[in-house]
Amino acid sequence: MNYELITTRIEGDKVAVITLNRPKQLNALNDALMDELGDALKHFDANANIGCMVITGSEKAFAAGADIGAMANYSFVDVYKSDYISRNWETIRSVRKPVIAAVSGFALGGGCELAMMCDFIIAADNARFGQPEIKIGVIPGAGGTQRLPRAISKSKAMDMALTGRMMDAAEAERAGLVSRVVPLANLMEETLAAALMIASYSQLATMAAKESVNRAFESSLSDGVMFERRLFHALFATTDQKEGMDAFVNKRPARFSNL
Ligand code: HXC
């Protein structure tokens, strides 16, 4: 795969790492980069060997937002007709395998929104999150006003969206935006350990777990629990359920076949 604005690599056969690569612009997210990211995500999602994906940036910036220079002269007609944002940013929502955001440095505006579209966020201790769009005369446009309140409460989401202030990694962890904070030097090691662990499990189970957790944001509690129960029941039809439970009972490592 030949990309210009991202790089990709495979770790341990089963984990795909996608690195946003516009360092001079602090990984500002333009259309071309988002097209490449969507293409890579779809490619790895369809690769039977891959069990987990990681999206990361540079030490200084995961991504400092949508590319302001590119957006500055857009008209309503431009953005509406081209389905700006929906056209390519939403690709990540269709990815069925788990995706981890490994965030160091700035995750601002669309960068924070991209991190929140991932399944969970592991943050380096230098990470800073924010939705500063208000400062440039707009509001978040890739789900920030919707995912932030679900992740960190209405009050904090309003604070972030209305003041445009940044949140450091410690506050982000306290608020529940990130699952863990690690020293910057250990970010990739810790993220890859988590990704490799996920990729060692049955893909059927990890996809079902992801689908079920995501359902919590789209349904009532009883509908969500029913959805979970039916997926749980369905997994008893898989070879991997037999293998996983037999391995436990017989005190041996499980060898999942994704069947
Ligand atoms: C385009 C950007 C950029 C962005 C940084 N750069 N952020 N270019 N779009 N979002 C560029 C700068 O212009 C500069 O280019 C280079 O990256 C380095 O940035 P500096 O500002 O010199 O770095 P620093 O002083 O360290 O400040 C870092 C920063 C600041 C605090 C992150 O760059 C900043 O405030 N950036 C904008 C953050 C923001 O408003 N994000 C939301 C965007 S709107 P040159 O050529 O001068 O070296 C958005 C909408 C989302 O995301 C809705 C839909 C997705």
Side-chain angles (χ1 to χ4, degrees), residues 25-30 63-68 71 89 106-112:
Q25 295 82 13
L26 304 184
N27 292 330
L29 304 165
N30 62 12
D67 189 318
I68 301 170
M71 278 188 294
W89 287 61
F106 297 111
L108 302 177
C112 186

Side-chain angles (χ1 to χ4, degrees), residues 14-66:
K14 292 184 173 179
V15 169
V17 179
I18 301 172
T19 305
L20 309 177
N21 190 30
R22 285 188 87 201
K24 285 191 193 136
Q25 295 82 13
L26 304 184
N27 292 330
L29 304 165
N30 62 12
D31 243 14
L33 189 155
M34 294 311 293
D35 281 345
E36 290 189 5
L37 178 62
D39 187 75
L41 287 167
K42 279 195 286 193
H43 172 89
F44 290 127
D45 205 31
N47 180 333
N49 284 330
I50 298 298
C52 188
M53 289 160 247
V54 174
I55 301 177
T56 193
S58 68
E59 284 192 4
K60 181 162 182 194
F62 176 74

Side-chain angles (χ1 to χ4, degrees), residues 80-190:
Y80 187 71
K81 265 186 158 173
S82 68
D83 210 11
Y84 180 52
I85 303 301
S86 317
R87 189 181 71 73
N88 46 12
W89 287 61
E90 300 280 330
T91 306
I92 190 167
R93 295 181 61 199
S94 64
V95 172
R96 299 180 71 205
K97 292 170 183 169
V99 182
I100 306 174
V103 174
S104 46
F106 297 111
L108 302 177
C112 186
E113 293 171 304
L114 174 61
M116 287 193 287
M117 283 190 226
C118 296
D119 296 314
F120 64 99
I121 302 172
I122 300 182
D125 50 15
N126 75 336
R128 303 187 75 187
F129 299 87
Q131 298 291 161
E133 290 90 342
I134 201 80
K135 296 180 180 179
I136 54 170
V138 290
I139 65 170
T145 64
Q146 303 305 301
R147 292 195 178 88
L148 261 186
R150 285 166 167 82
I152 68 173
S153 83
K154 173 191 163 186
S155 190
K156 253 190 203 296
M158 284 287 192
D159 181 356
M160 303 302 292
L162 291 173
T163 69
R165 77 173 175 89
M166 291 186 217
M167 193 187 260
D168 66 17
E171 183 181 2
E173 188 182 30
R174 276 201 309 280
L177 181 60
V178 309
S179 71
R180 26 180 147 159
V181 177
V182 302
L184 174 59
N186 300 349
L187 177 65
M188 280 321 285
E189 187 187 330
E190 295 251 4

Side-chain angles (χ1 to χ4, degrees), residues 9 72 89 105 119 138 140 144 223 242-243:
R9 66 179 197 275
W89 287 61
D119 296 314
V138 290
D223 283 351
K242 300 288 174 296
E243 168 63 14

